[in-house]
Amino acid sequence: MIARVSLEIALRREFDYAVPPELADKVDVGSRVQVPFGARKILGVVTAVAEESAHANLKPIIKVIGAQTLVTPKVLKLARWIGEYYCCAPETALKSVLPEAVRNEDASWRERLLVRVLPLAGEFPKLPKRQQDVWNIIEERREILLSELVTLAETTAATVRKLEDRGLVSITNEISERDPYAKEVILASQPLVLNPSQANALEKIKRAMGVAAAPQNVQRDAEHHPRDAVATAAINPPSSTFLLHGVTGSGKTEIYLQAIAHALEQGKGAIVLVPEISLTPQTVERFKARFSSGKLQTLVAVLHSHLSAGERHDEWHKIRQGRARIVIGARSAVFAPVEPLGLIVVDEEHESTYKQEEAPRYHARDVAIMRGQMENAVVVLGSATPSMESYFNCQRGKFTLLELPERVDDQKMPRVRVVDMRQAGFKEKGPPIFSPQLKEAITQRLERKEQTILFLNRRGYSTSLQCPKCGYVANCPNCSLTLTYHRPEQKLACHICGHSEKVPLVCPEPKCKNPAIRFAGTGTQKVEDILGKLFPHARIKRMDADVMKRKDDYRRVLGEFRHGKIDILIGTQMIAKGLHFPNVTLVGIIYADMALHQPDFRAGERTFQLLTQVAGRAGRGDVEGEVFVQAFTPFHPAIQYARRHDFVGFYEQEIEFRKQLKYPPTGRVALLTLKGRSEDKVKFSAEHLKRELEKLTGNTSAPAAASTAPAAAAELFDLGDKPGPQDKLITQTNVFRDLIISGPSPAPLLRAENFYRYHIMLRTPAMSRLSHALAQITMAMTFPDDVTLAVDIDPVDLS
């Protein structure tokens, strides 16, 4: 018996190993194994089992990790597709489908000593007082952890052991599951009555769940023509993927819950993906409450980064063992081993956090669609502000559009007022943080005992420290970025690399030493400080990464806000979505156009989405909500369409701009980032890579571009134009006539963590062919040791 093993080192190869007879019944596709590799012992995953190998003298597998296979064949197939489409080593893709807590060789269930009452044989013996006190507690509880008993009875383990010697109790080692929500009291909820729009959407989803597609065709196509999930949506009937476009507060979550219930009735499971930032206790409780009782009672497993390693291990294994039929989690939960899978929900599908920032750089939404097709499961994408890509696919008939145009219970959408901060600046001799209109609105809410949310997507106190005399600005020594002032700690900090330093009392320039050095810009700390002075009697709390450091901080602050213990909540994007507080009647957006002028073609789309989502936190109760949007460019289309809650209007004007420049969704983008500690080396490597890429278009430019690098660059870097494996590849590859190559150019953030970064952007109408060619080109090319290349297919962040 031969096992083909993918190792946890990115060699882009699989290796054959002999299976010892004693392990033959334990090794199967998906098993985690330890194998010899040279002088080392390395972990890997069995990807295939065969009876013979082309290689002789195979080394044997050392041992099998875990009692059951960890990677299911279906998830293994998905990992292969990710590796091919997203241009990364298959080993890297396979490694990503298992949480670190599960991959760890030493990871296991927690065992604890449990004390349990035994049936009494004969008369009950007379006990000393201390033993009798302990027995009284055990008799009442029937079973209890030894550690808990020792604490409760204020005794020792030896005393309990004496009761064991008398035959009254047993003390055994038993698995004690680490449940992150064990201490929560969750009240069961019942399905709500749906309005006509909700009922129509649910009916179409349920109908699709009852239709049996032909998964064999999908799998074959995915094997031989790996492509992005969006493009392959045409393989299945359009009804297999839905876009649920509902305004904020329209009851999308209730549709998810009832669709999941339908999947459970069919004997299938469900995965619910939620952006990490929206994975609040409030969200989790809604799902646990619905499925904690009744005939559909089932465990709901939760997977996200705030769990401890032990909690993540236990939650994942509940899913693998089939005990948890519903999984709610962040990006990586798309790989949860739910079998059989009936439904995948991607809530807030437009969120950029669904995109992985390091290899494999997959997009969880697209992976969910591909997994749904491979496993014949229905996929529901939900959002009040859909991504351009998803709405575009609805227009082309690839997805089915379901619309919820109104809030539930006939609640009105909040009234949005745009405040021109240029006018406010004239009156106050400089741009103020709060306009007079917003200050008045906050005063009214405090008088009426209503709550307010203030949003500013920038943490810290001030964004820069500068000298008005000589022009000095405090910059990060590792990044091309100014340092942010954090007032409580009295430090300057970089939000990219984490560098921090003390605040200087005078200008650090030796020839200046001006004591009047001052801060510029505004962050959430400054908003909190000024708000406290304007409204000294208000109860104010701030939520951002600087204060939300412990696991329970998020839950605690939101709990206080829900119970009315906080009047004004200030925060960054972690308060922008997914929160439902009926007493919030006012939302203030401090600087709405902060992200509008970034060098990113999605800047307008992101601003529209963020404004609409934040505005949606207001008016979810009986009182109509009001939103103040403070902006210096108040007439920008993104702000005006958000003011009117008009997604379709925004989409129609935005898609024209995208068509003209062949940006997504009308075209596809790949972003190649080269980085290294020497800018000259990075720049020269980028120019060399561009010349190789130009061969894909059938047009090779003269190598004159390299002349901008030092004269001895080609010799120094060993990157001349000598024929190499990539030249042979290009002659065999179809020419990409529609490929547009932009760059190389310095990245918007040129230097980060002491690495210089250059970008090459590729635009093409067909990404699947290009990603396959890119993988071969990047494997064939060599770069200097200190220059690395990252390929990002379908990037969402161009910085």
Side-chain angles (χ1 to χ4, degrees):
M1 187 176 174
I2 308 299
R4 189 151 294 143
V5 179
S6 174
L7 305 178
E8 286 193 352
I9 45 178
L11 299 173
R12 294 181 182 267
R13 286 182 58 195
E14 294 177 351
F15 297 86
D16 289 355
Y17 286 89
V19 180
E22 65 271 18
L23 297 180
D25 59 338
K26 296 180 180 178
V27 173
D28 202 350
V29 174
S31 296
R32 289 266 296 164
V33 293
Q34 187 186 63
V35 295
F37 190 77
R40 294 183 289 168
K41 295 177 181 178
I42 291 180
L43 295 178
V45 174
V46 176
T47 57
V49 176
E51 293 184 358
E52 56 185 35
S53 170
H55 308 282
N57 301 320
L58 297 180
K59 293 181 179 180
I61 290 173
I62 298 171
K63 65 178 178 179
V64 177
I65 311 295
Q68 68 180 139
T69 59
L70 297 184
V71 183
T72 66
K74 291 174 181 175
V75 172
L76 179 61
K77 190 184 189 83
L78 186 66
R80 288 187 189 279
W81 174 81
I82 288 172
E84 290 179 4
Y85 178 69
Y86 288 103
C87 283
C88 71
E91 300 92 336
T92 306
L94 191 53
K95 196 174 176 181
S96 71
V97 305
L98 289 176
E100 178 70 34
V102 176
R103 279 190 286 113
N104 189 341
E105 186 183 355
D106 299 324
S108 63
W109 297 94
R110 178 180 63 180
E111 291 192 348
R112 301 177 77 177
L113 292 172
L114 189 73
V115 183
R116 190 179 278 116
V117 173
L118 292 176
L120 190 62
E123 285 187 31
F124 188 82
K126 183 171 178 61
L127 299 174
K129 184 178 186 308
R130 180 173 292 184
Q131 291 181 29
Q132 184 66 50
D133 292 342
V134 174
W135 167 256
N136 291 340
I137 295 173
I138 300 171
E139 187 181 33
E140 183 183 344
R141 293 285 195 93
R142 308 307 293 176
E143 61 179 50
I144 185 173
L145 287 172
L146 178 61
S147 56
E148 187 183 351
L149 176 62
V150 167
T151 303
L152 271 178
E154 297 179 347
T155 187
T156 63
T159 304
V160 186
R161 291 286 182 190
K162 288 175 182 175
L163 293 177
E164 183 185 31
D165 295 340
R166 290 175 179 270
L168 296 176
V169 301
S170 66
I171 302 176
T172 53
N173 244 335
E174 301 211 3
I175 289 174
S176 173
E177 291 185 355
R178 291 156 288 200
D179 183 353
Y181 296 89
K183 295 179 181 177
E184 296 292 317
V185 178
I186 297 175
L187 302 176
S189 71
Q190 299 301 318
L192 304 176
V193 177
L194 304 181
N195 63 31
S197 297
Q198 288 175 302
N200 176 57
L202 178 63
E203 184 55 38
K204 288 183 177 177
I205 294 169
K206 288 167 73 172
R207 199 179 306 147
M209 291 168 74
V211 174
Q216 298 84 3
N217 297 336
V218 176
Q219 291 170 357
R220 189 161 57 247
D221 199 19
E223 279 173 2
H224 294 108
H225 305 286
R227 63 191 76 180
D228 67 299
V230 177
T232 37
I235 299 170
N236 263 4
S239 57
S240 64
T241 302
F242 294 89
L243 174 61
L244 184 60
H245 176 209
V247 299
T248 54
S250 58
K252 293 185 288 293
T253 305
E254 185 61 31
I255 294 175
Y256 303 156
L257 290 165
Q258 297 197 24
I260 291 169
H262 187 71
L264 293 177
E265 288 170 355
Q266 293 181 320
K268 297 182 177 181
I271 296 173
V272 182
L273 298 184
V274 182
E276 181 83 49
I277 213 158
S278 298
L279 197 57
T280 62
Q282 192 179 30
T283 307
V284 174
E285 283 168 17
R286 290 190 69 178
F287 285 87
K288 282 187 171 283
R290 183 61 56 90
F291 300 105
S292 63
S293 63
K295 64 177 183 177
L296 296 177
Q297 182 175 354
T298 184
L299 281 174
V300 177
V302 183
L303 296 173
H304 60 81
S305 63
H306 294 300
L307 300 181
S308 67
E311 289 169 342
R312 247 195 307 270
H313 170 277
D314 292 3
E315 292 289 291
W316 192 91
H317 279 283
K318 288 176 195 173
I319 304 162
R320 184 68 187 96
Q321 293 168 359
R323 291 189 289 138
R325 308 293 300 128
I326 301 168
V327 180
I328 177 168
R331 183 175 58 227
S332 61
V334 72
F335 303 117
V338 176
E339 287 194 331
L341 182 62
L343 178 69
I344 305 177
V345 172
V346 185
D347 192 29
E348 308 287 7
E349 63 86 23
H350 65 277
E351 266 294 318
S352 60
T353 51
Y354 282 126
K355 177 75 170 176
Q356 176 100 336
E357 292 180 356
E358 60 277 334
R361 293 173 175 81
Y362 66 89
H363 197 299
R365 177 196 63 215
D366 296 345
V367 173
I369 296 169
M370 177 55 84
R371 183 173 181 184
Q373 290 170 10
M374 287 180 171
E375 301 194 30
N376 197 22
V378 169
V379 179
V380 178
L381 314 176
S383 178
T385 53
S387 63
M388 296 288 291
E389 288 83 355
S390 295
Y391 200 78
F392 182 71
N393 277 319
C394 288
Q395 301 304 303
R396 296 173 67 196
K398 288 186 174 181
F399 299 171
T400 300
L401 179 64
L402 305 173
E403 297 194 277
L404 304 176
E406 297 167 351
R407 284 185 160 186
V408 293
D409 300 330
D410 296 322
Q411 291 172 348
K412 291 182 180 179
M413 293 298 291
R415 186 177 299 159
V416 181
R417 306 181 190 279
V418 179
V419 180
D420 188 343
M421 294 301 283
R422 296 171 300 180
Q423 303 298 325
F426 281 133
K427 294 175 185 175
E428 300 203 14
K429 298 179 182 178
I433 293 177
F434 298 104
S435 62
Q437 298 95 315
L438 181 56
K439 279 193 278 192
E440 177 60 28
I442 294 172
T443 303
Q444 291 175 3
R445 274 23 180 228
L446 291 171
E447 290 172 353
R448 301 204 298 249
K449 307 292 185 191
E450 294 167 1
Q451 291 172 300
T452 299
I453 288 178
L454 296 179
F455 173 81
L456 175 64
N457 205 19
R458 182 185 282 159
R459 57 195 177 96
Y461 191 89
S462 295
T463 50
S464 64
L465 175 70
Q466 47 192 239
C467 175
K469 185 177 177 182
C470 72
Y472 166 85
V473 176
N475 289 312
C476 175
N478 308 318
C479 310
S480 48
L481 206 68
T482 58
L483 294 173
T484 301
Y485 172 49
H486 289 252
R487 189 172 180 178
E489 302 89 355
Q490 282 296 306
K491 69 176 183 179
L492 297 171
C494 174
H495 292 167
I496 299 294
C497 70
H499 168 84
S500 65
E501 56 189 61
K502 288 183 178 179
V503 179
L505 299 176
V506 297
C507 176
E509 282 293 326
K511 294 180 181 178
C512 181
K513 298 294 182 182
N514 176 24
I517 192 166
R518 66 181 183 214
F519 301 104
T522 300
T524 48
Q525 290 180 4
K526 191 171 185 178
V527 172
E528 181 184 32
D529 185 47
I530 292 176
L531 204 60
K533 293 172 182 174
L534 289 173
F535 305 102
H537 301 297
R539 296 167 296 176
I540 302 165
K541 263 287 196 288
R542 174 166 56 91
M543 281 186 72
D544 56 32
D546 294 323
V547 289
M548 298 289 111
K549 291 182 178 177
R550 288 202 301 264
K551 192 164 68 170
D552 294 327
D553 285 347
Y554 203 70
R555 184 182 306 184
R556 177 179 51 78
V557 173
L558 290 181
E560 290 175 4
F561 194 57
R562 181 190 300 176
H563 294 112
K565 296 177 181 178
I566 299 169
D567 298 317
I568 304 171
L569 185 64
I570 309 158
T572 54
Q573 59 181 352
M574 63 173 60
I575 65 167
K577 51 192 75 71
L579 303 181
H580 179 86
F581 296 112
N583 198 37
V584 173
T585 59
L586 174 65
V587 168
I589 301 170
I590 306 298
Y591 292 140
D593 42 9
M594 183 183 292
L596 205 49
H597 309 296
Q598 293 179 347
D600 189 331
F601 69 89
R602 287 194 178 91
E605 180 184 6
R606 287 213 185 98
T607 298
F608 172 82
Q609 290 168 343
L610 201 53
L611 296 187
T612 306
Q613 293 285 346
V614 177
R617 301 312 105 209
R620 286 170 168 254
D622 298 330
V623 181
E624 184 180 357
E626 192 172 24
V627 181
F628 282 87
V629 178
Q630 299 186 159
F632 291 93
T633 50
F635 300 109
H636 190 283
I639 293 175
Q640 287 301 316
Y641 283 115
R643 181 178 70 83
R644 298 195 293 269
H645 310 285
D646 182 6
F647 170 78
V648 175
F650 174 78
Y651 171 85
E652 287 173 350
Q653 66 88 31
E654 182 74 9
I655 200 72
E656 290 304 315
F657 144 68
R658 304 282 182 95
K659 280 179 185 173
Q660 289 174 15
L661 298 175
K662 294 184 171 58
Y663 280 129
T666 57
R668 314 304 302 284
V669 167
L671 187 68
L672 312 186
T673 303
L674 292 101
K675 71 176 187 177
R677 296 193 184 276
S678 165
E679 185 175 5
D680 285 339
K681 284 187 181 183
V682 173
K683 186 177 182 181
F684 182 83
S685 301
E687 288 166 345
H688 177 68
L689 175 59
K690 182 182 181 178
R691 289 198 299 276
E692 295 302 327
L693 292 169
E694 282 176 336
K695 296 176 184 178
L696 289 175
T697 66
N699 301 315
T700 53
S701 63
S707 63
T708 55
E715 183 181 345
L716 176 66
F717 303 151
D718 191 25
L719 285 175
D721 288 318
K722 296 174 288 186
Q726 65 270 26
D727 296 295
K728 184 179 178 183
L729 166 78
I730 301 302
T731 61
Q732 298 171 349
T733 306
N734 292 329
V735 174
F736 292 81
R737 297 292 183 195
D738 296 324
L739 181 63
I740 300 172
I741 304 175
S742 303
S745 59
L749 182 62
L750 171 62
R751 193 162 57 106
E753 300 180 82
N754 268 328
F755 286 94
Y756 289 92
R757 306 158 70 246
Y758 272 68
H759 282 169
I760 297 176
M761 181 187 281
L762 308 180
R763 281 172 280 170
T764 176
M767 182 55 74
S768 53
R769 266 197 323 131
L770 179 60
S771 63
H772 184 67
L774 275 177
Q776 296 193 48
I777 290 173
T778 53
M779 276 192 290
M781 289 191 69
T782 55
F783 296 104
D785 290 341
D786 55 348
V787 175
T788 58
L789 169 66
V791 179
D792 193 354
I793 305 295
D794 302 328
V796 298
D797 182 6
L798 302 183
S799 63

